[in-house]
Amino acid sequence: MLERRSALASARPYVSAVLKIAERPGFTLTQVAGLSTDFEARLAAVVGTLPEKVQQAQANGAHTLFRIGPAQFWIVGPETDEAPSRLEGQCAVTPLSSSRTRIALEGAPAREVLARLIPVDLHPSVFTPGTVALTGIHHTPVTVHCTGEHSFDIYAMRTFALNVWDAVTDAARVFADNR
């Protein structure tokens, strides 16, 4: 059986007393979309409450849902998630797990680091926990999810994960213990 190899296997570790940057493996990412009038009700029956607006996330137990469009959602779940198979035939289900890498950024300077990279208003009164932004880091599309006051997950395409990692850790060098 094939083993999944991290796209960041060759990445240089980041060490800091005030900031943590690390890969967060072990997740399932599925995009779902539907056009039927009862699509959202069917989806909610499987994964729980849906975010009301685009650019919002909703945590429901083992699942976090991002509303990425009017009738489109990302479902982030555990590595052994069965929700996507329960949705087959009810909507368009696109597995994205193998095409994305998740990078966690945690610590008081996290917003300052991201502000050097993305054209998004990251003020804590605007980019609050549960906010999602589809944006770019050095012309590379990424999805940024605010998971807490000083914590963020960055979803990058696997092909560009190392480039995104390098950009984030370069922007954070001022806070590093291993400069």
Side-chain angles (χ1 to χ4, degrees):
M1 184 155 125
L2 293 175
E3 280 189 44
R4 182 180 167 107
R5 182 172 186 266
S6 168
L8 299 176
S10 64
R12 183 171 179 230
Y14 179 89
V15 180
S16 171
V18 295
L19 187 65
K20 179 181 177 186
I21 304 172
E23 180 178 12
R24 283 194 49 208
F27 68 99
T28 300
L29 177 60
T30 307
Q31 180 172 300
V32 295
L35 297 175
S36 67
T37 56
D38 64 346
F39 161 65
E40 289 191 16
R42 287 182 182 199
L43 178 59
V46 174
V47 294
T49 305
L50 304 179
E52 293 180 21
K53 299 185 312 190
V54 173
Q55 296 185 324
Q56 277 189 334
Q58 173 69 45
N60 297 325
H63 296 105
T64 300
L65 288 93
F66 303 168
R67 185 181 286 266
I68 59 168
Q72 291 183 316
F73 297 85
W74 272 12
I75 303 170
V76 181
E79 200 164 18
T80 57
D81 195 8
E82 294 185 18
S85 62
R86 292 176 55 202
L87 292 166
E88 288 289 339
Q90 298 184 50
C91 59
V93 177
T94 308
L96 299 175
S97 305
S98 61
S99 69
R100 297 294 191 280
T101 297
R102 181 170 60 180
I103 300 169
L105 180 62
E106 301 173 359
R111 287 180 192 274
E112 186 178 337
V113 171
L114 283 175
R116 297 172 182 214
L117 298 167
I118 61 175
V120 172
D121 185 352
L122 294 166
H123 191 275
S125 67
V126 176
F127 207 75
T128 58
T131 304
V132 177
L134 284 71
T135 185
I137 294 177
H138 291 274
H139 305 288
T140 301
V142 296
T143 301
V144 179
H145 174 212
C146 181
T147 58
E149 183 180 357
H150 302 294
S151 58
F152 302 85
D153 282 344
I154 302 168
Y155 293 84
M157 287 185 276
R158 180 179 170 77
T159 306
F160 302 110
L162 191 54
N163 292 340
V164 171
W165 174 270
D166 287 344
V168 172
T169 56
D170 282 350
R173 286 181 81 191
V174 67
F175 305 105
D177 297 337
N178 60 350
R179 287 185 260 180

